Amino acid sequence: MNEIGTLDIETNRCLLRPFKMEDATFLYANYASDDQVTAFLTWNTHPDIQTTIDYLKNFVPKYETKKIYTWAITLKEKPDDVIGGIELAPTPETDTVEVGYVLARRYWHQGYMSEVFKAVIHYFFDIMDGQKIIGLFEKNNVNSGLVMKGCHLIYIGEKKTFLPRKNRFADLEVFEITKEQYQSLVNSKVSNQKNRLIERFQINFKNIFSQ
Protein backbone atom coordinates (compact mmCIF):
# COMPACT_ATOMS: atom_id res chain seq x y z
CA MET A 1 0.00 0.00 0.00
CA ASN A 2 1.36 3.39 -0.98
CA GLU A 3 1.88 5.58 2.10
CA ILE A 4 1.16 8.95 0.51
CA GLY A 5 -0.71 10.57 3.37
CA THR A 6 -3.76 12.82 3.19
CA LEU A 7 -3.80 14.60 -0.17
CA ASP A 8 -6.58 16.97 -1.23
CA ILE A 9 -9.59 15.36 -2.93
CA GLU A 10 -12.31 17.18 -4.87
CA THR A 11 -15.85 15.91 -5.45
CA ASN A 12 -18.76 17.61 -7.20
CA ARG A 13 -19.60 19.70 -4.16
CA CYS A 14 -16.83 19.17 -1.62
CA LEU A 15 -13.15 19.69 -1.01
CA LEU A 16 -11.44 17.18 1.28
CA ARG A 17 -8.19 18.32 2.87
CA PRO A 18 -6.09 17.75 5.99
CA PHE A 19 -7.30 19.29 9.24
CA LYS A 20 -5.45 22.36 10.52
CA MET A 21 -5.39 24.27 13.80
CA GLU A 22 -7.56 27.04 12.34
CA ASP A 23 -10.43 24.52 11.99
CA ALA A 24 -11.12 24.43 15.74
CA THR A 25 -13.98 26.94 15.74
CA PHE A 26 -15.94 25.35 12.89
CA LEU A 27 -15.19 21.80 14.00
CA TYR A 28 -16.52 22.50 17.48
CA ALA A 29 -19.54 24.56 16.43
CA ASN A 30 -20.64 22.43 13.49
CA TYR A 31 -20.51 18.94 14.95
CA ALA A 32 -18.09 18.14 17.80
CA SER A 33 -20.38 19.92 20.30
CA ASP A 34 -23.57 18.22 19.03
CA ASP A 35 -24.78 15.26 21.11
CA GLN A 36 -26.97 14.00 18.26
CA VAL A 37 -23.98 13.83 15.93
CA THR A 38 -21.68 12.06 18.40
CA ALA A 39 -24.31 9.61 19.67
CA PHE A 40 -22.99 6.73 17.53
CA LEU A 41 -19.34 7.78 17.37
CA THR A 42 -16.50 6.22 19.36
CA TRP A 43 -15.62 9.60 20.92
CA ASN A 44 -17.67 11.83 23.20
CA THR A 45 -19.12 15.28 22.60
CA HIS A 46 -16.56 18.01 23.19
CA PRO A 47 -17.69 19.96 26.29
CA ASP A 48 -15.89 23.15 25.19
CA ILE A 49 -13.78 24.51 22.35
CA GLN A 50 -10.59 23.99 24.34
CA THR A 51 -11.15 20.23 24.02
CA THR A 52 -11.28 20.66 20.24
CA ILE A 53 -8.12 22.79 20.25
CA ASP A 54 -6.28 20.21 22.35
CA TYR A 55 -7.40 17.44 19.99
CA LEU A 56 -6.07 19.30 16.94
CA LYS A 57 -2.79 20.16 18.70
CA ASN A 58 -2.22 16.47 19.24
CA PHE A 59 -3.49 15.27 15.87
CA VAL A 60 -2.37 17.76 13.20
CA PRO A 61 1.42 17.07 13.59
CA LYS A 62 0.78 13.40 12.77
CA TYR A 63 0.19 14.30 9.13
CA GLU A 64 3.95 14.66 8.75
CA THR A 65 4.33 10.87 9.02
CA LYS A 66 2.40 10.35 5.74
CA LYS A 67 0.67 7.43 7.48
CA ILE A 68 -2.48 9.33 8.46
CA TYR A 69 -5.50 9.34 6.14
CA THR A 70 -7.96 11.75 7.74
CA TRP A 71 -9.75 14.46 5.77
CA ALA A 72 -11.68 17.53 6.83
CA ILE A 73 -14.86 17.81 4.76
CA THR A 74 -15.62 21.29 3.42
CA LEU A 75 -17.83 22.73 0.71
CA LYS A 76 -15.97 24.05 -2.33
CA GLU A 77 -17.42 27.53 -1.87
CA LYS A 78 -16.45 27.54 1.84
CA PRO A 79 -13.11 25.69 2.13
CA ASP A 80 -12.45 27.02 5.64
CA ASP A 81 -15.82 25.91 7.05
CA VAL A 82 -15.36 22.29 8.21
CA ILE A 83 -18.66 20.39 8.10
CA GLY A 84 -17.34 16.90 8.85
CA GLY A 85 -14.50 14.44 8.62
CA ILE A 86 -13.67 11.05 7.13
CA GLU A 87 -10.83 8.73 8.09
CA LEU A 88 -9.21 5.56 6.79
CA ALA A 89 -7.52 3.98 9.82
CA PRO A 90 -4.94 1.26 9.08
CA THR A 91 -5.71 -2.11 10.70
CA PRO A 92 -3.44 -5.05 11.61
CA GLU A 93 -4.59 -6.78 8.43
CA THR A 94 -2.21 -6.06 5.53
CA ASP A 95 -3.24 -3.17 3.22
CA THR A 96 -6.59 -2.90 5.00
CA VAL A 97 -8.23 0.14 6.58
CA GLU A 98 -11.33 0.86 8.63
CA VAL A 99 -13.46 3.81 7.59
CA GLY A 100 -14.96 6.30 10.03
CA TYR A 101 -16.89 9.46 9.25
CA VAL A 102 -18.86 12.30 10.80
CA LEU A 103 -21.02 15.04 9.31
CA ALA A 104 -22.67 18.16 10.75
CA ARG A 105 -26.37 17.54 11.32
CA ARG A 106 -27.62 20.29 9.00
CA TYR A 107 -25.97 18.48 6.07
CA TRP A 108 -27.56 15.08 6.74
CA HIS A 109 -29.82 13.46 4.12
CA GLN A 110 -28.36 15.47 1.22
CA GLY A 111 -25.97 12.87 -0.18
CA TYR A 112 -22.79 14.54 1.03
CA MET A 113 -21.34 11.60 2.92
CA SER A 114 -21.95 9.11 0.10
CA GLU A 115 -20.36 11.55 -2.35
CA VAL A 116 -17.32 11.97 -0.13
CA PHE A 117 -16.95 8.29 0.75
CA LYS A 118 -17.05 7.22 -2.90
CA ALA A 119 -14.19 9.64 -3.64
CA VAL A 120 -12.17 8.27 -0.71
CA ILE A 121 -12.81 4.70 -1.90
CA HIS A 122 -11.35 5.67 -5.28
CA TYR A 123 -8.36 7.28 -3.53
CA PHE A 124 -7.70 4.17 -1.47
CA PHE A 125 -7.88 1.60 -4.24
CA ASP A 126 -6.56 3.55 -7.23
CA ILE A 127 -4.04 5.93 -5.64
CA MET A 128 -2.95 4.16 -2.46
CA ASP A 129 -3.24 0.68 -4.02
CA GLY A 130 -4.96 -0.67 -0.91
CA GLN A 131 -6.77 -4.01 -0.75
CA LYS A 132 -9.76 -3.75 1.60
CA ILE A 133 -11.97 -1.20 3.36
CA ILE A 134 -13.92 -2.30 6.43
CA GLY A 135 -16.89 -0.37 7.78
CA LEU A 136 -18.49 -0.88 11.19
CA PHE A 137 -21.51 0.92 12.60
CA GLU A 138 -24.01 0.45 15.40
CA LYS A 139 -27.14 -1.43 14.31
CA ASN A 140 -29.33 1.48 15.40
CA ASN A 141 -27.39 3.90 13.21
CA VAL A 142 -29.58 3.43 10.15
CA ASN A 143 -28.18 6.42 8.24
CA SER A 144 -24.63 5.10 8.40
CA GLY A 145 -25.85 1.77 7.09
CA LEU A 146 -27.46 3.47 4.11
CA VAL A 147 -24.15 5.19 3.31
CA MET A 148 -22.29 1.86 3.43
CA LYS A 149 -24.79 0.17 1.14
CA GLY A 150 -24.96 3.16 -1.21
CA CYS A 151 -21.18 3.00 -1.60
CA HIS A 152 -21.37 -0.73 -2.49
CA LEU A 153 -19.89 -2.18 0.69
CA ILE A 154 -21.06 -5.74 1.33
CA TYR A 155 -22.56 -6.99 4.59
CA ILE A 156 -20.26 -9.46 6.35
CA GLY A 157 -21.87 -10.03 9.74
CA GLU A 158 -22.28 -8.66 13.25
CA LYS A 159 -20.05 -8.26 16.30
CA LYS A 160 -20.34 -6.93 19.82
CA THR A 161 -17.61 -4.62 21.07
CA PHE A 162 -16.87 -2.44 24.08
CA LEU A 163 -16.56 1.30 23.50
CA PRO A 164 -14.20 2.51 26.25
CA ARG A 165 -14.88 6.22 25.80
CA LYS A 166 -18.62 5.60 25.92
CA ASN A 167 -18.24 2.99 28.70
CA ARG A 168 -20.76 0.64 27.09
CA PHE A 169 -21.07 -2.31 24.75
CA ALA A 170 -22.37 -1.86 21.21
CA ASP A 171 -23.83 -4.22 18.62
CA LEU A 172 -22.11 -3.50 15.32
CA GLU A 173 -22.80 -4.46 11.73
CA VAL A 174 -19.71 -5.16 9.63
CA PHE A 175 -19.41 -4.26 5.96
CA GLU A 176 -16.45 -4.38 3.58
CA ILE A 177 -15.33 -3.85 0.01
CA THR A 178 -12.21 -5.37 -1.52
CA LYS A 179 -10.13 -4.06 -4.41
CA GLU A 180 -11.37 -6.93 -6.57
CA GLN A 181 -15.00 -6.00 -5.85
CA TYR A 182 -14.26 -2.34 -6.50
CA GLN A 183 -12.61 -3.07 -9.84
CA SER A 184 -15.55 -5.25 -10.80
CA LEU A 185 -17.91 -2.34 -10.10
CA VAL A 186 -15.75 0.03 -12.13
CA ASN A 187 -15.57 -2.37 -15.07
CA SER A 188 -19.32 -2.90 -14.94
CA LYS A 189 -19.93 0.86 -14.96
CA VAL A 190 -17.58 1.34 -17.93
CA SER A 191 -19.28 -1.51 -19.78
CA ASN A 192 -22.72 -0.02 -19.14
CA GLN A 193 -21.55 3.38 -20.39
CA LYS A 194 -20.19 1.79 -23.58
CA ASN A 195 -23.45 -0.07 -24.13
CA ARG A 196 -25.45 3.14 -23.73
CA LEU A 197 -23.21 4.90 -26.25
CA ILE A 198 -23.61 2.02 -28.71
CA GLU A 199 -27.40 2.04 -28.27
CA ARG A 200 -27.45 5.81 -28.78
CA PHE A 201 -25.37 5.46 -31.95
CA GLN A 202 -27.62 2.70 -33.28
CA ILE A 203 -30.74 4.79 -32.64
CA ASN A 204 -29.21 7.80 -34.40
CA PHE A 205 -28.03 5.57 -37.25
CA LYS A 206 -31.55 4.19 -37.73
CA ASN A 207 -33.06 7.68 -37.58
CA ILE A 208 -30.73 8.93 -40.34
CA PHE A 209 -31.78 6.18 -42.75
CA SER A 210 -35.45 6.34 -41.88
CA GLN A 211 -35.75 9.96 -42.96
Side-chain angles (χ1 to χ4, degrees), residues 22-203:
E22 293 80 3
D23 293 329
T25 299
F26 286 119
L27 195 162
Y28 175 74
N30 286 342
Y31 62 90
S33 60
D34 189 335
D35 289 335
Q36 284 187 251
V37 172
T38 64
F40 293 113
L41 300 181
T42 57
W43 48 273
N44 294 315
T45 305
H46 290 188
D48 50 54
I49 194 170
Q50 187 59 49
T51 303
T52 307
I53 292 172
D54 291 342
Y55 162 75
L56 290 173
K57 280 183 179 179
N58 177 66
F59 182 79
V60 170
K62 295 179 181 179
Y63 282 117
E64 296 179 8
T65 68
K66 301 296 183 183
K67 296 181 180 181
I68 299 295
Y69 311 100
T70 303
W71 291 266
I73 302 172
T74 71
L75 300 180
K76 282 184 175 179
E77 64 269 22
K78 296 180 179 179
D80 292 323
D81 187 347
V82 177
I83 65 170
I86 184 165
E87 174 185 37
L88 297 179
T91 72
E93 189 174 349
T94 303
D95 295 341
T96 299
V97 294
E98 181 181 326
V99 66
Y101 43 73
V102 59
L103 187 68
R105 186 152 39 105
R106 69 176 180 273
Y107 294 100
W108 290 0
H109 310 303
Q110 298 173 57
Y112 283 106
M113 191 51 71
S114 294
E115 177 180 325
V116 165
F117 189 16
K118 287 177 181 178
V120 170
I121 290 172
H122 162 70
Y123 183 93
F124 178 71
F125 289 124
D126 290 339
I127 310 301
M128 291 175 58
D129 196 25
Q131 295 300 313
K132 185 193 294 184
I133 298 174
I134 299 172
L136 300 94
F137 62 92
E138 289 198 52
K139 292 179 68 174
N140 293 333
N141 190 358
V142 178
N143 292 332
S144 190
L146 292 174
V147 171
M148 297 280 182
K149 295 171 185 175
C151 292
H152 307 290
L153 274 74
I154 296 171
Y155 175 75
I156 299 300
E158 298 181 6
K159 64 180 291 187
K160 183 182 287 288
T161 191
F162 182 72
L163 305 178
R165 293 180 183 175
K166 300 284 188 177
N167 195 32
R168 64 177 175 83
F169 284 93
D171 293 315
L172 306 179
E173 292 196 359
V174 184
F175 281 68
E176 70 175 33
I177 182 170
T178 64
K179 186 167 188 174
E180 183 179 357
Q181 291 163 342
Y182 166 76
Q183 289 176 331
S184 177
L185 287 167
V186 171
N187 292 338
S188 176
K189 184 176 181 180
V190 170
S191 177
N192 289 337
Q193 289 174 339
K194 286 182 178 178
N195 289 337
R196 284 197 293 269
L197 286 173
I198 292 171
E199 288 174 4
R200 212 175 286 169
F201 174 78
Q202 289 174 336
I203 291 171

